[in-house]
Amino acid sequence: MQKTSRSSGLRLVMSVAGAARHTCTSGDAAADAAADGDWAADLVPTGDPARDLDRLLDRFRDEVRDAARDRGVTAAQVAEARGHLEAACGRLGTAFGARS
């Protein structure tokens, strides 16, 4: 597993390069990985969209937790992560038609 971190914060985007190789990236490489849509491509759809979403969320949680465990995490990084997660929650809520 290749890992790249930034001391300014927990900026982790996970991408899948093949069925079993995961790479933690930051910066422009993260944007490229997100644009490619390769992250978690090894998760085969089950036919149950709710289950598939649970599996994606599990993968995300596991990879972020493992990266933080392997590198350590500071209070400032947790605060930054909270901001990123709040923004993602808002975007996903909009995608799923959530009401405020």
Side-chain angles (χ1 to χ4, degrees):
M1 180 185 282
Q2 175 188 355
K3 300 173 190 169
T4 305
S5 66
R6 296 179 71 166
S7 60
S8 64
L10 184 62
R11 298 179 191 270
L12 301 174
V13 174
M14 308 304 168
S15 66
V16 175
R21 183 174 167 213
H22 297 81
T23 305
C24 297
T25 61
S26 64
D28 294 334
D32 292 343
D36 290 344
D38 287 344
W39 181 79
D42 62 314
L43 295 178
V44 178
T46 65
D48 178 359
R51 175 70 181 127
D52 294 342
L53 180 59
D54 283 343
R55 293 173 70 211
L56 288 172
L57 292 170
D58 287 346
R59 170 69 61 88
F60 175 80
R61 182 199 65 231
D62 292 347
E63 291 187 8
V64 171
R65 180 199 60 224
D66 292 349
R69 178 196 63 222
D70 293 348
R71 297 183 189 101
V73 64
T74 66
Q77 290 171 317
V78 171
E80 183 177 351
R82 183 183 308 272
H84 290 297
L85 291 171
E86 179 181 16
C89 184
R91 287 189 305 271
L92 290 170
T94 298
F96 295 134
R99 296 184 182 122
S100 299

